[in-house]
Amino acid sequence: MQTSVHWLENVAFEAKTQSGHSVIMDGSPEYGGENRGPRPMELLLTGLGGCASFDIVTILKKARQEITDVRCELKAERADTIPAVFTKIHLHFVITGKAVKEKQVAKAVELSAEKYCSASKMLMDGGVEISHDFEVLEAE
């Protein structure tokens, strides 16, 4: 896998991914940015949420669960020192669907956390404490 990051100006960068997509990253004005895009660490966190959510959707569909929405809300803590790495991350999944079984959701979350999510595995191996929980909502 490869990607490239190109400096635009000040502290703004454009990342181009192997799959042909681009994203602008920028800093806050207090660090010389213009707030034109997410911060790099925000993208790292959203990547984790996307990776885990991908697993959850795939697993629940294979289990023939009728899901209508999957949302992953992440909360993270960072070290007070430089580098300000993530120290703790909590993923809260909100699964909406018709007669979705909590047991199936619990299994999907566990499989993602322990077996499938590469981002989660990489961060945990780096010392980040990662936790998960979920709630199931009935679709109208």
Side-chain angles (χ1 to χ4, degrees):
M1 178 181 291
Q2 58 184 66
T3 193
S4 66
V5 177
H6 180 251
W7 179 51
L8 298 175
E9 63 182 341
N10 300 324
V11 294
F13 298 86
E14 180 182 23
K16 292 186 178 181
T17 67
Q18 181 174 318
S19 58
H21 300 281
S22 296
V23 64
I24 301 294
M25 297 176 281
D26 199 4
S28 66
E30 69 184 281
Y31 292 106
E34 296 177 24
N35 201 30
R36 295 189 297 172
R39 314 298 179 257
M41 290 296 282
E42 289 174 332
L43 289 175
L44 187 61
L45 193 60
T46 57
L48 169 61
C51 185
S53 297
F54 180 96
D55 295 337
I56 302 282
V57 166
T58 303
I59 294 165
L60 290 176
K61 282 186 171 188
K62 284 182 182 175
R64 294 186 174 97
Q65 297 300 294
E66 194 176 340
I67 55 174
T68 58
D69 189 46
V70 174
R71 190 171 68 245
C72 180
E73 301 166 350
L74 297 97
K75 291 185 182 175
E77 294 179 20
R78 294 177 70 177
D80 292 330
T81 57
I82 302 294
V85 298
F86 289 122
T87 56
K88 293 181 182 181
I89 301 172
H90 181 74
L91 292 83
H92 176 72
F93 296 96
V94 181
I95 312 298
T96 305
K98 297 180 180 173
V100 174
K101 296 177 182 163
E102 285 202 20
K103 185 176 180 179
Q104 290 290 339
V105 175
K107 183 177 181 179
V109 170
E110 179 183 343
L111 284 170
S112 174
E114 296 179 6
K115 186 173 183 181
Y116 294 116
C117 183
S118 304
S120 182
K121 174 75 171 135
M122 182 178 63
L123 289 166
M124 285 189 298
D125 286 354
V128 181
E129 181 183 316
I130 298 181
S131 58
H132 306 76
D133 68 7
F134 67 89
E135 62 184 292
V136 177
L137 304 175
E138 187 64 25
E140 296 181 23

